């Protein structure tokens, strides 16, 4: 499939959110990536439901919500109600991952699971058929603007092998340090969705940066 670009709103101008939402609407980007951080699972606090609700009022593309929070089961229904289309929880934050992913799907959302850089992809072997998307963290979660961890390419290939014949529709998303210098290599390795925060919003021309990462 053709790869998707999901600009991360974490790098947007929070004082002009509507402007940046419209910028993504009018670009070749495919999804909005929304990073929810609780200051417990990760050492940073970003934004939560009220902000996502406000974004959803203007967004014309699917909302890809990445929960970097402990005990995400408490909020699945709420994120569904405010318009999440893809809901991703962290493997490291879920003691009962099968239950959590099933609940996300039962609510009608795509179920995603994110892996921290140190978590090997083989831990997903017995759950891979119940997952719509795996988000490989290519930085330690918590902050935008960090450098891409090169070991991620190997994880993309390993994950594609893991899903073969069991989940051929699996979407592989890469999150952190993605930009003009590595997007092609990631797509070649088998990535389907590229999250791009700083490389989109810090660019002189964000829409041109998105177009470039789409390969157009
Ligand atoms: C990091 C977040 C990312 C972040 C990526 O914890 O999950 O989505 O916004 O930012 P960049 O693209 O700047 O590395
Ligand atoms: Zn993210």
């Amino acid at each position: 499939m053709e790869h998707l670009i999901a600009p991360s709103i974490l790098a947007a101008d929070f004082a002009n959110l509507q402007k940046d939402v419209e910028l993504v609407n009018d670009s070749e980007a495919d999804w909005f990536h929304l990073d929810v951080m609780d200051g417990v699972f990760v050492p940073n606090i970003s934004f939560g439901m009220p902000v996502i609700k406000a974004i959803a009022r203007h967004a014309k593309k699917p909302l890809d919500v990445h929960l970097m929070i402990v005990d995400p089961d408490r909020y699945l229904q709420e994120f569904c109600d405010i318009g999440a289309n893809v809901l991703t929880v962290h493997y490291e934050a879920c003691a009962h991952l099968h239950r959590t992913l099933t609940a996300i799907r039962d609510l009608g959302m795509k179920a995603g699971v994110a892996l921290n850089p140190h978590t090997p992809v083989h831990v997903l072997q017995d759950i891979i058929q119940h997952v719509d998307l795996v988000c490989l963290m290519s930085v330690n979660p918590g902050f935008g603007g960090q450098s891409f961890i090169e070991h991620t390419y190997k994880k993309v290939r390993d994950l594609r092998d893991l899903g073969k014949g069991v989940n051929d529709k699996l979407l592989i998303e890469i999150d952190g340090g993605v930009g003009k210098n590595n997007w092609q290599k990631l797509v070649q390795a088998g990535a389907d969705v590229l999250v791009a925060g700083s490389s989109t919003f810090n660019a002189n021309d964000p829409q041109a940066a998105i177009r470039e990462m789409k390969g157009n």
Side-chain angles (χ1 to χ4, degrees), residues 1-213:
M1 67 169 257
E2 193 197 315
H3 68 281
L4 309 180
I5 301 293
S8 172
I9 292 299
L10 189 65
D13 179 356
F14 286 1
N16 279 291
L17 264 184
Q18 189 180 349
K19 177 179 81 52
D20 281 347
V21 170
E22 300 295 355
L23 180 155
V24 174
N25 282 340
D26 297 338
S27 76
E28 291 178 34
D30 300 277
W31 291 355
F32 285 87
H33 185 82
L34 302 167
D35 289 303
V36 179
M37 304 179 185
D38 66 355
V40 179
F41 181 69
V42 287
N44 194 14
I45 299 175
S46 56
F47 50 76
M49 291 82 167
V51 172
I52 294 180
K53 213 170 162 179
I55 290 171
R57 275 203 293 275
H58 302 283
K60 296 191 179 124
K61 297 178 181 185
L63 304 186
D64 170 32
V65 178
H66 176 193
L67 299 182
M68 284 160 273
I69 66 174
V70 296
D71 201 4
D73 302 75
R74 293 171 292 168
Y75 302 114
L76 305 181
Q77 179 75 56
E78 261 187 89
F79 281 107
C80 177
D81 292 345
I82 61 174
N85 300 94
V86 183
L87 193 61
T88 297
V89 295
H90 263 263
Y91 169 82
E92 301 83 5
C94 295
H96 305 284
L97 189 60
H98 179 278
R99 180 185 294 152
T100 305
L101 294 171
T102 306
I104 294 173
R105 279 185 162 179
D106 286 349
L107 286 165
M109 297 177 283
K110 278 194 198 310
V113 58
L115 298 183
N116 277 337
H118 72 274
T119 304
V121 300
H122 69 74
V123 299
L124 299 177
Q125 190 177 334
D126 292 322
I127 192 78
I128 198 77
Q129 65 271 39
H130 302 290
V131 180
D132 296 300
L133 173 147
V134 174
C135 174
L136 295 176
M137 292 307 304
S138 38
V139 298
N140 287 293
F143 303 93
Q146 304 180 77
S147 321
F148 179 82
I149 297 172
E150 298 284 323
H151 180 65
T152 310
Y153 297 115
K154 181 181 184 302
K155 291 178 81 169
V156 178
R157 291 189 292 266
D158 289 351
L159 182 56
R160 194 49 83 201
D161 285 346
L162 189 73
K164 218 167 256 163
V166 195
N167 186 349
D168 291 317
K169 288 192 188 139
L170 177 71
L171 294 173
I172 301 180
E173 178 176 69
I174 311 300
D175 189 5
V178 175
K180 60 179 178 186
N181 297 325
N182 54 17
W183 73 267
Q184 271 173 309
K185 207 172 155 189
L186 285 165
V187 171
Q188 277 157 16
D192 302 296
V193 186
L194 304 179
V195 176
S198 318
S199 61
T200 297
F201 291 102
N202 294 352
N204 288 332
D205 182 345
Q207 289 171 334
I210 292 166
R211 195 177 316 123
E212 187 180 341
M213 287 184 275

